[in-house]
Amino acid sequence: MRNNLIKIILLTLFFSSAASAKIYYSAIVDAGSSGSRIYLYQYEKSVANDINQLQLIASKKVSPGISAYAAHPAEITSYILPLLQFAQQHFNPLVKEDQVTFSLMATAGMRLVSPEQQEQIYNNIKAALQKYTYFQIKTIETIPGQWEAIYGWVAANYANHSLQPNKTIGILDMGGASTEVAFATSKSEDTENIAKIQLGKNDFSVYAVSYLGLGQNQARSQFMNNKNCFPKNYLLPDKTYAVGNYEECVKSLNPVLKDIQDVQKIKHIMQKNTQFVAVSWFHDLLHSSIFTSSKGFTLRQLHHKGESFCALDWNDAQVKYANDPALYSTCFNLAYYYALLKHAYDFKKDYYFNTKKDVDWALGVVVYEAYNS
């Protein structure tokens, strides 16, 4: 009799908890420097604040980044409308629009735009939302670089099922205008870049930093006439020809990383046993036909590929790797990734980096807000 009573109580608690779980819908636009991608999420949250059944319904990207509209902000309406229509198309069969929260969060590209121009762009986006949708506007803003790194860290660990103390992974994110690094730490140096965050019942100290200007496009723009950083016989903007010297290109990058940006200071704060995952353009280049990585890479492999690619004659490279519009930048990118990871962050040559394709910091926004709403 007693055992039956206990079973009835447990079943009642289980079903009442399941019945009390609420479904949430969220549209988040990652407005990056090279384009904007909207992510449509659905998840359940119980009374106990547990997140269940979080799933990505769909996503869509448009180009260029919204910073391209700084000089003509009124035109942003025609840019954002396809993303809003895409969200309506997928949400309307599931839920009323007024039950969807909408956030647009811009990153490094918009950090390079004046506050006045940012405000004009965001006001026009808000007006388009109010005119064409019933979404609940949560935020439309440029987020600080540190929070971009934190959201990326949350996303990577949630996807990896490692959001537990002493089990987390670190994240390395490469964008067009900035690069981010984030990892849990028990050290107390550089407290300016250490954030205390709570996710459910767990507390974390996360070292998170974004380096504006060190995204691969912004970094490369400073070296466009460096003959060592482009394939042999590639015509540079100053009308000279590149020589494709990988080692010299790496050397020329070190002053920017060490002296100007002081990137190497983080090596004293990293936990030695942290496993890092490399995402965004780290992943895209290393899984392209040029590098053909499987799941990850070592710096030794990166160095070897950089040496061999940069030494290629530009005409031969175009034949070997046809139909790649970013081919001209590959020599620089391979040198830049190596200089950043080896000489700035101080990883060893045989350190193995996992790579992930489907980890975007927008997922981290959903998880963080779900736990802290």
Side-chain angles (χ1 to χ4, degrees):
M1 181 70 179
R2 178 182 174 82
N3 289 338
N4 288 338
L5 181 60
I6 292 173
K7 288 180 181 179
I8 292 171
I9 292 172
L10 291 174
L11 286 171
T12 301
L13 289 171
F14 172 80
F15 285 114
S16 63
S17 175
S20 62
K22 184 178 178 181
I23 300 177
Y24 292 81
Y25 299 90
S26 180
I28 297 177
V29 178
D30 169 359
S33 60
S34 60
S36 297
R37 184 180 292 275
I38 191 168
Y39 295 89
L40 311 179
Y41 289 103
Q42 172 185 320
Y43 64 94
E44 291 182 2
K45 194 168 75 167
S46 69
V47 174
N49 213 29
D50 294 321
I51 304 171
N52 301 307
Q53 318 248 345
L54 194 160
Q55 59 180 308
L56 176 66
I57 299 172
S59 69
K60 177 182 176 70
K61 184 175 183 178
V62 294
S63 297
I66 61 175
S67 57
Y69 293 84
H72 37 92
E75 296 179 17
I76 197 71
T77 300
S78 59
Y79 169 90
I80 201 70
L81 198 53
L83 295 182
L84 302 183
Q85 292 169 336
F86 177 81
Q88 289 172 313
Q89 174 189 348
H90 285 84
F91 277 135
N92 284 348
L94 300 173
V95 65
K96 294 179 180 179
E97 280 188 29
D98 61 4
Q99 294 175 289
V100 177
T101 59
F102 178 94
S103 297
L104 182 143
M105 298 180 173
T107 55
M110 286 295 278
R111 294 181 202 127
L112 299 170
V113 173
S114 73
E116 294 77 17
Q117 290 173 315
Q118 290 187 46
E119 184 178 10
Q120 289 178 330
I121 289 174
Y122 294 149
N123 284 342
N124 281 293
I125 291 174
K126 185 176 181 180
L129 277 155
Q130 293 171 334
K131 180 176 180 179
Y132 295 108
T133 78
Y134 292 99
F135 296 151
Q136 296 181 47
I137 300 175
K138 199 162 192 176
T139 184
I140 299 175
E141 64 175 346
T142 302
I143 62 172
Q146 185 184 35
W147 274 97
E148 181 183 354
I150 291 170
Y151 289 140
W153 180 86
V154 173
N157 281 282
Y158 183 85
N160 193 56
H161 307 289
S162 54
L163 268 181
Q164 303 172 50
N166 303 318
K167 292 186 178 181
T168 61
I169 59 174
I171 188 168
L172 300 160
D173 193 341
M174 178 60 68
S178 68
T179 188
E180 286 75 40
V181 58
F183 51 89
T185 183
S186 60
K187 298 183 179 180
S188 57
E189 298 101 314
D190 192 14
T191 54
E192 178 184 352
N193 290 312
I194 295 178
K196 306 285 188 180
I197 64 172
Q198 184 173 13
L199 299 170
K201 300 175 182 177
N202 297 316
D203 296 315
F204 301 94
S205 291
V206 181
Y207 182 93
V209 63
S210 174
Y211 294 103
L212 185 60
L214 292 189
Q216 64 180 32
N217 294 346
Q218 286 287 321
R220 189 174 61 251
S221 68
Q222 303 173 60
F223 291 84
M224 290 302 296
N225 287 313
N226 187 314
K227 63 183 181 181
N228 296 309
C229 294
F230 295 88
K232 186 178 178 182
N233 290 323
Y234 174 79
L235 182 63
L236 300 170
D238 65 1
K239 305 305 179 183
T240 62
Y241 288 92
V243 299
N245 189 321
Y246 181 79
E247 288 287 357
E248 289 302 315
C249 181
V250 170
K251 289 179 183 177
S252 67
L253 288 161
N254 287 332
V256 173
L257 295 170
K258 293 184 176 182
D259 300 333
I260 298 176
Q261 292 275 12
D262 195 23
V263 173
Q264 77 274 15
K265 66 182 179 182
I266 76 167
K267 65 186 180 183
H268 303 296
I269 304 171
M270 284 186 180
Q271 306 290 111
K272 290 185 178 180
N273 59 344
T274 300
Q275 177 62 54
F276 280 83
V277 60
V279 301
S280 299
W281 281 352
F282 280 120
H283 172 278
D284 292 349
L285 175 60
L286 298 170
H287 288 264
S288 68
S289 60
I290 296 165
F291 198 91
T292 60
S293 172
S294 55
K295 292 183 179 180
F297 68 100
T298 66
L299 289 181
R300 194 178 299 278
Q301 292 171 325
L302 185 63
H303 187 275
H304 175 73
K305 177 56 68 174
E307 281 188 316
S308 60
F309 182 86
C310 290
L312 272 178
D313 184 89
W314 176 234
N315 292 323
D316 294 338
Q318 289 178 293
V319 173
K320 186 174 183 179
Y321 304 107
N323 303 317
D324 185 348
L327 188 66
Y328 80 97
S329 66
T330 300
C331 174
F332 174 86
N333 291 344
L334 289 168
Y336 179 52
Y337 292 0
Y338 184 83
L340 178 68
L341 298 174
K342 176 68 175 68
H343 297 302
Y345 293 163
D346 202 33
F347 286 104
K348 305 304 179 186
K349 277 193 173 183
D350 290 319
Y351 186 93
Y352 184 82
F353 299 88
N354 287 307
T355 59
K356 295 285 186 183
K357 178 178 177 61
D358 298 321
V359 176
D360 190 278
W361 58 261
L363 172 63
V365 174
V366 175
V367 173
Y368 182 86
E369 291 184 348
Y371 275 125
N372 290 282
S373 62

